[in-house]
Amino acid sequence: MATYSWTLPVAGPDPDAEGPDADAVWEGLVHKAENPSPYVPAVTGCRVLERFDDGFLREITVRDTELVQERVTFEKPERVVFRPVNDPCIEQIVNELGDDGSGRPTLTLRITLTPAGVDKAENTRYFLHETQRYFSDALAFIVEGLRRRHAR
């Protein structure tokens, strides 16, 4: 398996700008898990299939064509873990709330490839590049969505 991660400040690049605190970021991450479209433009639909004490099973539509089921687990107060049920290449996706050292929240998006995903990354031209670009772009959209949610 291989893991890749990206981290961005949630408040924005201006150190004087007011942004969401850690509690607001957590609330936004919980909201995003059930309503991902405003945060991740590639996700065009979401349906919760089953609920559990620590999360739920959802089915998302990616780019209006691909259906992916994910087991979503909330590890309050800092991690939301998405484990695709039917994706042979992605083991898990983690959204993790952090701190920039001065008390301002950061968000880390981490993906772990399955052994089949690592094999595909090694043997399929552009797969790793496109996967990394998709998820790094997704993080930027998620952070922007969290900022918009806070500004309301």
Side-chain angles (χ1 to χ4, degrees), residues 65-101:
T65 59
E66 182 183 356
L67 292 177
V68 177
Q69 286 188 3
E70 295 176 320
R71 173 68 163 92
V72 179
T73 306
F74 299 105
E75 298 176 3
K76 191 174 183 180
E78 61 201 23
R79 289 170 37 112
V80 181
V81 180
F82 304 85
R83 289 186 178 86
V85 174
N86 58 337
D87 185 329
C89 294
I90 304 290
E91 176 74 26
Q92 72 176 9
I93 303 161
V94 176
N95 292 175
E96 188 166 16
L97 177 61
D99 181 300
D100 70 358

Side-chain angles (χ1 to χ4, degrees), residues 15 17 55 77 117 134 150 152:
Y134 172 84
H150 174 72
R152 282 190 256 146

